[in-house]
Amino acid sequence: MKYFNYLLILLGAIIAMYAKAEEKQNQYILIAGIVVLMIGIYRIARTIPSRKSDSEDDENEQ
């Protein structure tokens, strides 16, 4: 599943660059590429744990 996220990022970047490379930009393709790119980045960022662990948070609350 991790590779699917990287594939989304790569696909979104390629789509966005393709839309930007044309002489007359197609804004809908550019927006679609950026959306796919951001979905991939969001899915990867979701799996990164926070810096503080849950036990440290509990100690700080008390």
Side-chain angles (χ1 to χ4, degrees), residues 5-42:
N5 297 334
Y6 294 125
L7 182 66
L8 283 176
I9 292 172
L10 184 64
L11 183 65
I14 290 171
I15 291 171
M17 285 188 291
Y18 170 76
K20 188 76 172 164
E22 293 181 1
E23 187 174 315
K24 184 177 179 183
Q25 290 180 343
N26 190 342
Q27 291 182 351
Y28 296 114
I29 294 176
L30 180 63
I31 291 171
I34 292 171
V35 166
V36 171
L37 176 70
M38 294 305 291
I39 288 171
I41 291 171
Y42 170 74

